[in-house]
Amino acid sequence: MQNQEKDIIRYFEQMDRSYFVDENKELASLDRPISIGYGQTISQPTLVLKMTLELDLFPQSSVLEIGTGSGFQTALLAAFSDTVYTVERIKALHEWAKGKLHESAFTNIHLKRGNGSLGWKENAPYDRIMVTAAASEVPAQLLEQLKNGGKMIIPIGSPHSQDLTLIEKNEQGEVTSTFIMPVVFVGLVDSED
Ligand code: SAH
């Protein structure tokens, strides 16, 4: 498996976060979370990078992302994997990200509007799953849609503080979870807007 870490860091450093936000463009270069409207936020860039590196992408990976938001994280995932499937519950954000990602000429991103807690069954199983909203526990369907040998990054905890958690499923289908760091994400909401 090819380790893409250096290339990911290099690519990330030249990404323009302001392109993915409508307001607060002047704040986009700072290492802080920014609002993307509808009560949602993009995490600070160092956390987006950290989560991406922890996911251990490889060029052939099929990735499921839950919480498309602005599309910023989606673009980074897509640059280092084969295909990204991304699900967003808020229609306006789904449309926004679709426009931005198509404009940036990505051809390996598939976007859907819906409840990401259910995953995206049609394209499962996935090598990698990234959840960018907080859950009280790992949604069963996401775990089911993760390949043996696969990895998932997900913030698990209460609405106000979570443990960023790496879930790994080994070749026998056994699941382990590793604490990475404390984080605060907006909640994974179990319905469409
Ligand atoms: N990764 C995004 C930021 C995510 S903010 C970025 O780079 O901009 C979290 C996102 O998860 C929000 O857009 C929110 O609407 C979405 N979300 C919350 N619950 C969801 C669910 N059940 N299914 C899909 N998306 C969800």
Side-chain angles (χ1 to χ4, degrees):
M1 208 176 277
Q2 184 186 323
N3 187 316
Q4 308 192 94
E5 192 163 313
K6 279 201 188 105
D7 294 338
I8 293 177
I9 295 171
R10 208 171 298 130
Y11 182 88
F12 180 77
E13 282 169 353
Q14 58 75 46
M15 279 181 89
D16 177 12
R17 194 163 67 137
S18 72
Y19 173 74
F20 290 92
V21 294
D22 204 9
E23 298 161 23
N24 302 308
K25 279 186 185 284
E26 70 288 357
L27 303 177
S29 62
L30 305 177
D31 193 28
R32 49 164 282 185
I34 47 177
S35 162
I36 53 174
Y38 313 93
Q40 309 302 322
T41 48
I42 316 189
S43 307
Q44 64 275 30
T46 46
L47 180 55
V48 172
L49 178 61
K50 167 96 179 147
M51 289 173 70
T52 308
L53 295 176
E54 289 287 348
L55 202 57
D56 187 26
L57 298 169
F58 57 102
Q60 298 77 23
S61 48
S62 168
V63 181
L64 174 67
E65 180 194 32
I66 306 303
T68 317
S70 66
F72 177 65
Q73 170 78 77
T74 319
L76 183 59
L77 294 171
F80 294 95
S81 38
D82 181 72
T83 312
V84 176
Y85 298 92
T86 182
V87 185
E88 168 59 50
R89 67 176 274 276
I90 298 176
K91 184 164 191 272
L93 287 173
H94 162 76
E95 297 292 343
W96 166 267
K98 191 155 84 178
K100 286 288 165 183
L101 293 165
H102 286 167
E103 215 174 274
S104 352
F106 280 103
T107 54
N108 60 339
I109 298 176
H110 303 275
L111 302 100
K112 167 169 128 162
R113 180 182 170 221
N115 179 3
S117 300
L118 306 176
W120 190 341
K121 213 170 171 189
E122 289 76 5
N123 309 299
Y126 302 97
D127 299 296
R128 301 290 185 258
I129 298 181
M130 178 174 297
V131 184
T132 61
S136 54
E137 57 184 354
V138 182
Q141 314 240 28
L142 295 186
L143 203 50
E144 227 167 76
Q145 292 174 29
L146 185 65
K147 264 186 205 169
N148 284 3
K151 300 186 186 194
M152 175 179 352
I153 293 279
I154 179 168
I156 300 282
S158 72
H160 305 293
S161 78
Q162 304 97 34
D163 289 351
L164 186 63
T165 308
L166 173 66
I167 307 285
E168 292 174 276
K169 207 188 241 191
N170 71 14
E171 293 302 338
Q172 287 70 46
E174 296 157 348
V175 175
T176 53
S177 98
T178 309
F179 167 74
I180 299 175
M181 62 191 280
V183 287
V184 182
F185 274 83
V186 296
L188 189 66
V189 178
D190 255 340
S191 68
E192 290 185 22
D193 66 322

